[in-house]
Amino acid sequence: NAGVTQTPKFRILKIGQSMTLQCAQDMNHNYMYWYRQDPGMGLKLIYYSVGAGITDKGEVPNGYNVSRSTTEDFPLRLELAAPSQTSVYFCASSYPEGSGRDNEQFFGPGTRLTVL
Amino acid sequence: AQSVAQPEDQVNVAEGNPLTVKCTYSVSGNPYLFWYVQYPNRGLQFLLKYITGDNLVKGSYGFEAEFNKSQTSFHLKKPSALVSDSALYFCAVRPYYGGATNKLIFGTGTLLAVQP
């Protein structure tokens, strides 16, 4: 059971480039989340998904897009990278609300992205 | 606005001494409260949670937290600190929206430094 996996671990982008951060989980969790972590700011929710085909914006969605074609995968897309998107990105997953096991989020190891 | 506050950016404690990391929250309804720990270059790991019941909850690695409804606080404690406890600690709250959501609001984090 690998849990939540993220690739790549590190990436440097030039302004205007695009990339996809990959996230996968093998725990059959319905709910998945993308956060960014900036120093002194805690974690901010970018997008979340409550199941395949269903996504919604979080607190800081501008500049990002997501898709959820399968239960396992939840990629995050940056279309036109900007220096403000330099951050550490974490993917997380959980059981659905009301399942009795829905209270804990499981986090991946993170992707450190630098935009120059 | 719903929020979580961790008033201390850093807490310093000597090994063997008790430690407290503070957290206060502001949410509507009955909150679910969590503590997560982040070691360097790692994702967040779940420590403990309060859902309902006994105000003192016990978690991993000897940590415990006390829910105080009147003070809207959920402070993390440990009777005897270890150098290996040095890490970044996040308090999080899951507001009750009455809908299908499992989103968390995170505090800004407190760096715990335990000196030998």
Side-chain angles (χ1 to χ4, degrees), chain A residues 33 37 90 94 97 102-103 105, chain B residues 34 36 38 90 99 101-102:
Chain A
Y33 314 84
Q37 182 182 26
F90 288 101
S94 75
E97 180 166 325
D102 57 334
N103 298 310
Q105 291 189 14
Chain B
F34 304 81
Y36 284 82
Q38 184 181 30
F90 288 97
T101 176
N102 199 11

Side-chain angles (χ1 to χ4, degrees), chain A residues 72-95:
Chain A
E72 294 78 18
D73 301 296
F74 190 40
L76 178 72
R77 179 83 176 163
L78 283 72
E79 290 294 350
L80 290 170
S84 61
Q85 294 177 304
T86 294
S87 188
V88 182
Y89 292 85
F90 288 101
C91 180
S93 69
S94 75
Y95 290 103

Side-chain angles (χ1 to χ4, degrees), chain A residues 2-111:
Chain A
V4 180
T5 58
Q6 292 182 240
T7 56
K9 285 189 172 60
F10 306 94
R11 184 72 184 269
I12 298 175
L13 284 181
K14 294 182 180 178
I15 294 172
Q17 286 186 319
S18 62
M19 77 164 294
T20 299
L21 282 66
Q22 301 291 346
C23 173
Q25 53 89 14
D26 61 359
M27 296 174 282
N28 203 30
H29 286 168
N30 292 74
Y31 286 20
M32 295 187 75
Y33 314 84
W34 273 107
Y35 295 92
R36 59 176 289 170
Q37 182 182 26
D38 301 299
M41 300 294 290
L43 276 75
K44 302 292 185 185
L45 182 65
I46 305 171
Y47 269 95
Y48 68 101
S49 169
V50 297
I54 307 170
T55 63
D56 206 349
K57 296 178 181 179
E59 188 179 356
V60 290
N62 291 345
Y64 307 95
N65 278 301
V66 293
S67 59
R68 185 96 182 270
S69 56
T70 66
T71 298
E72 294 78 18
D73 301 296
F74 190 40
L76 178 72
R77 179 83 176 163
L78 283 72
E79 290 294 350
L80 290 170
S84 61
Q85 294 177 304
T86 294
S87 188
V88 182
Y89 292 85
F90 288 101
C91 180
S93 69
S94 75
Y95 290 103
E97 180 166 325
S99 67
R101 303 166 66 184
D102 57 334
N103 298 310
E104 177 186 345
Q105 291 189 14
F106 296 80
F107 283 80
T111 294

Side-chain angles (χ1 to χ4, degrees), chain B residues 8-69:
Chain B
E8 302 153 317
D9 290 336
Q10 182 162 337
V11 169
N12 298 305
V13 64
E15 189 173 32
N17 282 1
L19 69 87
T20 298
V21 182
K22 296 180 181 177
C23 172
T24 59
Y25 63 91
S26 173
V27 298
S28 56
N30 295 320
Y32 292 3
L33 294 156
F34 304 81
W35 276 101
Y36 284 82
V37 60
Q38 184 181 30
Y39 297 100
N41 300 313
R42 303 286 295 276
L44 277 68
Q45 296 178 32
F46 171 78
L47 267 184
L48 52 77
K49 65 186 178 188
Y50 171 82
I51 304 300
T52 187
D54 193 349
N55 289 343
L56 184 66
V57 293
K58 295 187 183 297
S60 307
Y61 312 120
F63 283 94
E64 57 190 27
E66 186 168 15
F67 171 62
N68 187 317
K69 188 172 184 177

